[in-house]
Amino acid sequence: MTLTIYGCYRSRATRNVWLANELGLAYQHVPVIQVYRLPDPNAADAPMHTRSPEFLKVNPNGRIPAIDDDGFILNESLAINLYLARKHGGPLAPKDAQEEGLATMWALWAATECETHALNLTYHLAAYPPEKRDPAVAAAALAALPSPFAVLDQQLAQGGGYVMGGRFTVADINVGEVIRYAKPAQQLFDAAPNVKAWLDALHARPAFQKMWAARDSEAA
Amino acid sequence: MTLTIYGCYRSRATRNVWLANELGLAYQHVPVIQVYRLPDPNAADAPMHTRSPEFLKVNPNGRIPAIDDDGFILNESLAINLYLARKHGGPLAPKDAQEEGLATMWALWAATECETHALNLTYHLAAYPPEKRDPAVAAAALAALPSPFAVLDQQLAQGGGYVMGGRFTVADINVGEVIRYAKPAQQLFDAAPNVKAWLDALHARPAFQKMWAARDSEAA
């Protein structure tokens, strides 16, 4: 069994590393970096990056993360988690066709209803230097996210505190890693107390904390 | 067996209707309309729309399409197709865990790499009245889409003219229905001849044409 996860920690690879930790999977980690973070991607000593020819053979989209699982190559971080959960089974995985449908639905919901806006909150409220922050972009995200946060809050209230199936699953990891990007906007979480409690509980999990410690030790 | 598909044809419901036609499924069609298309959503004779209280019970996100399959409710159009394909099996469905992964990957790829830009081409090159079209939005879409079109073109060249598995599957329907929105920009297809031939072949399928005829007969 050889699983390789491509992608530095400061990327969506965190969600795959967290899931691998939850499942207790052994894996090799190749910290491919986003090309835009390198001053000179063509320098002889540049690390492997998202436009490196050898990485484009893994993912022709030039995106991280991607995995190579014994020769089977897959990209799209949320699809990678669904694949690994299904393959290794157990309570994290969808248990039947309906849960398969729900897990896929929530992955697409997170990616299309939340992720762009949530990332914009990370960038324009926290990560970017002040001169690069655009208040209009942050305001648009703050206007868009209360509606999906309310939907998730309702699901968590009705679903025993979980996204699907009344238990911790891959759907919590996939949705949680997207919602995490909105953390710089505390007001969203104050208005959705079930989302706040759920995300806090996710982040207290040892498998998340192990991933987060590795992320913190990665060069910024 | 009672399957209900909620969503007028001038929405992403087309992809679910097309798949249902491919599988030969019987279904009830409830043409829920987008609220922004109604002059007065609160009028006594307004049709069921995406903010109608009875529809919000089906999909609290207020989005179409959604399905009710014998009491199992699901939304997100691409997840609905994956669910229906898996449930009913046959050559359209993923055949193993790796194909499950690939089908999910391509759905997320279409939704995140292509759909917003492709829809912007439909809106800003064709559907909107001239005074509402924004050339900057169309230009941004035309700058973004050649890269994912090249990735899809390469996959089709290597994959026997299909998105996955060397045969027609749910992945072709899901990706094809997203790529269709880019059709007003013919130059994208001229630069990706495998994408052009593939989409033409998809649109020649009787199950697509049956859906399209029903769409054409729906009030604009």
Side-chain angles (χ1 to χ4, degrees), chain A residues 27-63:
Chain A
Y27 57 89
Q28 183 188 4
H29 181 225
V30 180
V32 177
I33 197 167
Q34 298 92 342
V35 65
Y36 60 79
R37 289 174 56 192
L38 294 174
D40 180 6
N42 298 315
D45 62 347
M48 192 191 294
H49 58 75
T50 49
R51 304 305 299 174
S52 297
E54 70 263 47
F55 181 66
L56 290 172
K57 288 180 195 160
V58 176
N59 186 356
N61 295 283
R63 305 277 195 197

CSV table of all heavy atoms in Angstrom, one decimal, chain A residues 27-63:
chain,number,residue,atom,x,y,z
A,27,TYR,N,1.1,7.3,4.8
A,27,TYR,CA,1.1,8.0,3.5
A,27,TYR,C,2.5,8.8,3.4
A,27,TYR,O,3.1,9.1,4.4
A,27,TYR,CB,0.0,9.0,3.3
A,27,TYR,CG,-0.1,10.0,4.4
A,27,TYR,CD1,0.5,11.3,4.3
A,27,TYR,CD2,-0.9,9.8,5.5
A,27,TYR,CE1,0.5,12.2,5.3
A,27,TYR,CE2,-1.0,10.7,6.5
A,27,TYR,CZ,-0.3,11.9,6.4
A,27,TYR,OH,-0.4,12.9,7.4
A,28,GLN,N,2.9,9.0,2.1
A,28,GLN,CA,4.0,9.9,1.9
A,28,GLN,C,3.4,11.3,1.6
A,28,GLN,O,2.4,11.4,0.9
A,28,GLN,CB,4.8,9.3,0.7
A,28,GLN,CG,6.0,10.1,0.3
A,28,GLN,CD,6.7,9.6,-1.0
A,28,GLN,OE1,6.1,8.8,-1.7
A,28,GLN,NE2,7.8,10.2,-1.3
A,29,HIS,N,4.1,12.3,2.1
A,29,HIS,CA,3.6,13.6,1.8
A,29,HIS,C,4.6,14.4,1.0
A,29,HIS,O,5.8,14.5,1.4
A,29,HIS,CB,3.4,14.4,3.2
A,29,HIS,CG,2.8,15.8,3.0
A,29,HIS,ND1,3.3,16.8,3.8
A,29,HIS,CD2,1.9,16.3,2.2
A,29,HIS,CE1,2.7,17.9,3.4
A,29,HIS,NE2,1.8,17.6,2.5
A,30,VAL,N,4.2,14.9,-0.1
A,30,VAL,CA,5.0,15.7,-1.0
A,30,VAL,C,4.5,17.1,-1.0
A,30,VAL,O,3.4,17.4,-1.6
A,30,VAL,CB,5.0,15.1,-2.5
A,30,VAL,CG1,5.9,16.0,-3.4
A,30,VAL,CG2,5.5,13.6,-2.5
A,31,PRO,N,5.2,18.0,-0.4
A,31,PRO,CA,4.6,19.4,-0.2
A,31,PRO,C,4.7,20.3,-1.4
A,31,PRO,O,5.4,21.4,-1.3
A,31,PRO,CB,5.5,19.9,1.0
A,31,PRO,CG,6.8,19.2,0.9
A,31,PRO,CD,6.5,17.9,0.3
A,32,VAL,N,4.1,19.9,-2.5
A,32,VAL,CA,4.0,20.7,-3.7
A,32,VAL,C,3.4,22.1,-3.3
A,32,VAL,O,2.4,22.1,-2.5
A,32,VAL,CB,3.1,20.1,-4.7
A,32,VAL,CG1,3.0,20.9,-6.0
A,32,VAL,CG2,3.7,18.7,-5.1
A,33,ILE,N,4.1,23.2,-3.7
A,33,ILE,CA,3.7,24.5,-3.3
A,33,ILE,C,3.0,25.2,-4.5
A,33,ILE,O,3.2,24.9,-5.7
A,33,ILE,CB,4.9,25.3,-2.8
A,33,ILE,CG1,4.5,26.5,-2.0
A,33,ILE,CG2,5.8,25.7,-4.0
A,33,ILE,CD1,5.7,27.1,-1.2
A,34,GLN,N,2.1,26.2,-4.2
A,34,GLN,CA,1.4,27.0,-5.2
A,34,GLN,C,2.5,27.8,-5.9
A,34,GLN,O,3.2,28.5,-5.3
A,34,GLN,CB,0.3,27.9,-4.6
A,34,GLN,CG,-0.8,27.1,-3.9
A,34,GLN,CD,-0.6,26.9,-2.4
A,34,GLN,OE1,0.5,27.0,-1.9
A,34,GLN,NE2,-1.6,26.6,-1.7
A,35,VAL,N,2.4,27.8,-7.2
A,35,VAL,CA,3.5,28.5,-8.0
A,35,VAL,C,3.5,30.0,-7.7
A,35,VAL,O,4.6,30.6,-7.7
A,35,VAL,CB,3.2,28.3,-9.5
A,35,VAL,CG1,1.9,28.9,-10.0
A,35,VAL,CG2,4.4,28.8,-10.3
A,36,TYR,N,2.3,30.6,-7.4
A,36,TYR,CA,2.3,32.0,-7.2
A,36,TYR,C,3.0,32.4,-5.9
A,36,TYR,O,3.2,33.6,-5.6
A,36,TYR,CB,0.8,32.5,-7.2
A,36,TYR,CG,-0.1,31.9,-6.2
A,36,TYR,CD1,-0.1,32.4,-4.8
A,36,TYR,CD2,-1.0,30.9,-6.5
A,36,TYR,CE1,-0.9,31.8,-3.9
A,36,TYR,CE2,-1.8,30.4,-5.6
A,36,TYR,CZ,-1.8,30.8,-4.2
A,36,TYR,OH,-2.6,30.2,-3.3
A,37,ARG,N,3.3,31.5,-5.0
A,37,ARG,CA,4.0,31.8,-3.8
A,37,ARG,C,5.5,31.8,-3.9
A,37,ARG,O,6.2,32.1,-3.0
A,37,ARG,CB,3.6,30.8,-2.7
A,37,ARG,CG,2.2,31.0,-2.2
A,37,ARG,CD,1.7,29.9,-1.2
A,37,ARG,NE,2.6,29.8,-0.1
A,37,ARG,CZ,2.6,28.9,0.8
A,37,ARG,NH1,1.7,27.9,0.7
A,37,ARG,NH2,3.4,28.9,1.8
A,38,LEU,N,6.0,31.5,-5.1
A,38,LEU,CA,7.5,31.4,-5.3
A,38,LEU,C,8.0,32.6,-6.0
A,38,LEU,O,7.4,33.0,-7.1
A,38,LEU,CB,7.8,30.2,-6.2
A,38,LEU,CG,7.5,28.8,-5.5
A,38,LEU,CD1,7.8,27.7,-6.5
A,38,LEU,CD2,8.4,28.6,-4.3
A,39,PRO,N,9.0,33.2,-5.5
A,39,PRO,CA,9.6,34.4,-6.2
A,39,PRO,C,10.1,34.1,-7.6
A,39,PRO,O,9.9,34.8,-8.6
A,39,PRO,CB,10.7,34.9,-5.3
A,39,PRO,CG,11.0,33.8,-4.3
A,39,PRO,CD,9.7,32.9,-4.3
A,40,ASP,N,10.7,32.9,-7.8
A,40,ASP,CA,11.2,32.5,-9.1
A,40,ASP,C,11.0,31.0,-9.3
A,40,ASP,O,11.8,30.1,-8.9
A,40,ASP,CB,12.7,32.8,-9.2
A,40,ASP,CG,13.2,32.3,-10.6
A,40,ASP,OD1,12.4,31.9,-11.5
A,40,ASP,OD2,14.4,32.4,-10.8
A,41,PRO,N,9.8,30.6,-9.9
A,41,PRO,CA,9.5,29.2,-10.0
A,41,PRO,C,10.5,28.4,-10.9
A,41,PRO,O,10.6,27.2,-10.8
A,41,PRO,CB,8.1,29.2,-10.7
A,41,PRO,CG,7.6,30.6,-10.5
A,41,PRO,CD,8.8,31.5,-10.4
A,42,ASN,N,11.3,29.2,-11.7
A,42,ASN,CA,12.2,28.5,-12.6
A,42,ASN,C,13.6,28.4,-12.0
A,42,ASN,O,14.5,27.9,-12.7
A,42,ASN,CB,12.3,29.3,-13.9
A,42,ASN,CG,10.9,29.3,-14.6
A,42,ASN,OD1,10.2,28.2,-14.7
A,42,ASN,ND2,10.5,30.4,-15.1
A,43,ALA,N,13.8,28.9,-10.8
A,43,ALA,CA,15.1,28.8,-10.2
A,43,ALA,C,15.5,27.3,-10.0
A,43,ALA,O,14.7,26.5,-9.9
A,43,ALA,CB,15.1,29.5,-8.8
A,44,ALA,N,16.8,27.1,-10.1
A,44,ALA,CA,17.3,25.7,-10.1
A,44,ALA,C,16.9,25.0,-8.8
A,44,ALA,O,16.7,23.8,-8.7
A,44,ALA,CB,18.8,25.7,-10.3
A,45,ASP,N,16.9,25.8,-7.7
A,45,ASP,CA,16.6,25.2,-6.4
A,45,ASP,C,15.1,25.4,-6.0
A,45,ASP,O,14.8,25.2,-4.8
A,45,ASP,CB,17.5,25.8,-5.3
A,45,ASP,CG,17.3,27.3,-5.2
A,45,ASP,OD1,16.7,28.0,-6.0
A,45,ASP,OD2,17.8,27.9,-4.2
A,46,ALA,N,14.3,25.8,-6.9
A,46,ALA,CA,12.8,26.0,-6.6
A,46,ALA,C,12.2,24.6,-6.2
A,46,ALA,O,12.6,23.6,-6.8
A,46,ALA,CB,12.1,26.5,-7.8
A,47,PRO,N,11.4,24.6,-5.2
A,47,PRO,CA,10.8,23.3,-4.8
A,47,PRO,C,9.7,22.9,-5.9
A,47,PRO,O,9.3,23.7,-6.7
A,47,PRO,CB,10.0,23.6,-3.5
A,47,PRO,CG,9.8,25.1,-3.6
A,47,PRO,CD,10.9,25.7,-4.4
A,48,MET,N,9.3,21.7,-5.8
A,48,MET,CA,8.2,21.2,-6.7
A,48,MET,C,7.0,22.1,-6.5
A,48,MET,O,6.6,22.3,-5.4
A,48,MET,CB,7.8,19.8,-6.5
A,48,MET,CG,7.0,19.2,-7.7
A,48,MET,SD,6.2,17.6,-7.4
A,48,MET,CE,7.6,16.5,-7.3
A,49,HIS,N,6.4,22.6,-7.6
A,49,HIS,CA,5.3,23.6,-7.5
A,49,HIS,C,4.2,23.2,-8.5
A,49,HIS,O,4.3,22.2,-9.2
A,49,HIS,CB,5.8,25.0,-7.7
A,49,HIS,CG,6.4,25.3,-9.0
A,49,HIS,ND1,5.7,25.4,-10.2
A,49,HIS,CD2,7.8,25.4,-9.3
A,49,HIS,CE1,6.6,25.6,-11.2
A,49,HIS,NE2,7.8,25.6,-10.7
A,50,THR,N,3.1,23.9,-8.4
A,50,THR,CA,1.9,23.5,-9.2
A,50,THR,C,2.0,23.6,-10.7
A,50,THR,O,1.2,23.1,-11.4
A,50,THR,CB,0.7,24.3,-8.7
A,50,THR,OG1,1.0,25.7,-8.7
A,50,THR,CG2,0.2,23.9,-7.3
A,51,ARG,N,3.1,24.2,-11.2
A,51,ARG,CA,3.4,24.2,-12.6
A,51,ARG,C,4.6,23.4,-13.0
A,51,ARG,O,5.1,23.5,-14.2
A,51,ARG,CB,3.5,25.7,-13.2
A,51,ARG,CG,2.3,26.6,-12.9
A,51,ARG,CD,1.0,26.1,-13.4
A,51,ARG,NE,0.9,25.9,-14.8
A,51,ARG,CZ,-0.2,25.3,-15.4
A,51,ARG,NH1,-1.3,24.9,-14.7
A,51,ARG,NH2,-0.3,25.2,-16.7
A,52,SER,N,5.2,22.7,-12.1
A,52,SER,CA,6.3,21.9,-12.4
A,52,SER,C,5.9,20.8,-13.3
A,52,SER,O,4.8,20.2,-13.1
A,52,SER,CB,6.9,21.2,-11.1
A,52,SER,OG,7.4,22.1,-10.2
A,53,PRO,N,6.7,20.5,-14.4
A,53,PRO,CA,6.3,19.5,-15.4
A,53,PRO,C,6.0,18.1,-14.7
A,53,PRO,O,5.0,17.5,-15.1
A,53,PRO,CB,7.5,19.4,-16.3
A,53,PRO,CG,8.1,20.8,-16.2
A,53,PRO,CD,7.9,21.2,-14.8
A,54,GLU,N,6.8,17.8,-13.7
A,54,GLU,CA,6.5,16.5,-13.1
A,54,GLU,C,5.2,16.5,-12.3
A,54,GLU,O,4.6,15.4,-12.1
A,54,GLU,CB,7.7,16.0,-12.2
A,54,GLU,CG,7.9,16.7,-10.9
A,54,GLU,CD,9.0,17.8,-11.1
A,54,GLU,OE1,9.0,18.6,-12.1
A,54,GLU,OE2,9.9,17.9,-10.2
A,55,PHE,N,4.8,17.6,-11.7
A,55,PHE,CA,3.5,17.7,-11.0
A,55,PHE,C,2.4,17.7,-12.0
A,55,PHE,O,1.3,17.2,-11.8
A,55,PHE,CB,3.4,18.8,-10.0
A,55,PHE,CG,2.1,18.8,-9.3
A,55,PHE,CD1,1.8,17.7,-8.5
A,55,PHE,CD2,1.2,19.8,-9.5
A,55,PHE,CE1,0.5,17.7,-7.8
A,55,PHE,CE2,-0.1,19.7,-8.9
A,55,PHE,CZ,-0.4,18.7,-8.1
A,56,LEU,N,2.5,18.4,-13.1
A,56,LEU,CA,1.4,18.5,-14.1
A,56,LEU,C,1.1,17.1,-14.7
A,56,LEU,O,0.0,16.8,-15.2
A,56,LEU,CB,1.8,19.4,-15.3
A,56,LEU,CG,1.8,20.9,-14.8
A,56,LEU,CD1,2.3,21.8,-16.0
A,56,LEU,CD2,0.4,21.4,-14.4
A,57,LYS,N,2.1,16.1,-14.6
A,57,LYS,CA,1.7,14.7,-15.0
A,57,LYS,C,0.8,14.1,-13.9
A,57,LYS,O,0.0,13.2,-14.3
A,57,LYS,CB,3.0,13.9,-15.0
A,57,LYS,CG,3.9,14.2,-16.3
A,57,LYS,CD,5.1,13.4,-16.3
A,57,LYS,CE,6.1,14.0,-17.3
A,57,LYS,NZ,7.5,13.5,-17.0
A,58,VAL,N,0.8,14.6,-12.7
A,58,VAL,CA,-0.1,14.1,-11.7
A,58,VAL,C,-1.4,14.8,-11.8
A,58,VAL,O,-2.5,14.1,-11.8
A,58,VAL,CB,0.5,14.3,-10.2
A,58,VAL,CG1,-0.5,13.9,-9.2
A,58,VAL,CG2,1.9,13.5,-10.1
A,59,ASN,N,-1.4,16.1,-11.9
A,59,ASN,CA,-2.6,16.8,-12.0
A,59,ASN,C,-2.5,17.9,-13.1
A,59,ASN,O,-1.9,19.0,-12.9
A,59,ASN,CB,-3.1,17.5,-10.7
A,59,ASN,CG,-4.4,18.2,-10.9
A,59,ASN,OD1,-5.0,18.2,-12.0
A,59,ASN,ND2,-4.9,18.7,-9.8
A,60,PRO,N,-3.0,17.6,-14.3
A,60,PRO,CA,-2.8,18.6,-15.4
A,60,PRO,C,-3.5,19.9,-15.2
A,60,PRO,O,-3.3,20.9,-15.9
A,60,PRO,CB,-3.5,17.8,-16.6
A,60,PRO,CG,-4.4,16.8,-16.0
A,60,PRO,CD,-3.8,16.4,-14.7
A,61,ASN,N,-4.4,20.0,-14.2
A,61,ASN,CA,-5.0,21.2,-13.8
A,61,ASN,C,-4.0,22.1,-13.1
A,61,ASN,O,-4.3,23.3,-12.9
A,61,ASN,CB,-6.2,21.0,-12.9
A,61,ASN,CG,-7.4,20.3,-13.6
A,61,ASN,OD1,-8.1,20.9,-14.4
A,61,ASN,ND2,-7.5,19.0,-13.4
A,62,GLY,N,-2.9,21.6,-12.6
A,62,GLY,CA,-2.0,22.4,-11.8
A,62,GLY,C,-2.5,22.8,-10.5
A,62,GLY,O,-2.3,24.0,-10.1
A,63,ARG,N,-3.3,22.0,-9.9
A,63,ARG,CA,-3.9,22.3,-8.6
A,63,ARG,C,-3.5,21.3,-7.5
A,63,ARG,O,-3.3,20.1,-7.8
A,63,ARG,CB,-5.4,22.2,-8.6
A,63,ARG,CG,-6.1,23.0,-9.7
A,63,ARG,CD,-6.3,24.5,-9.3
A,63,ARG,NE,-7.2,25.1,-10.2
A,63,ARG,CZ,-7.3,26.5,-10.3
A,63,ARG,NH1,-6.5,27.3,-9.6
A,63,ARG,NH2,-8.1,27.0,-11.1
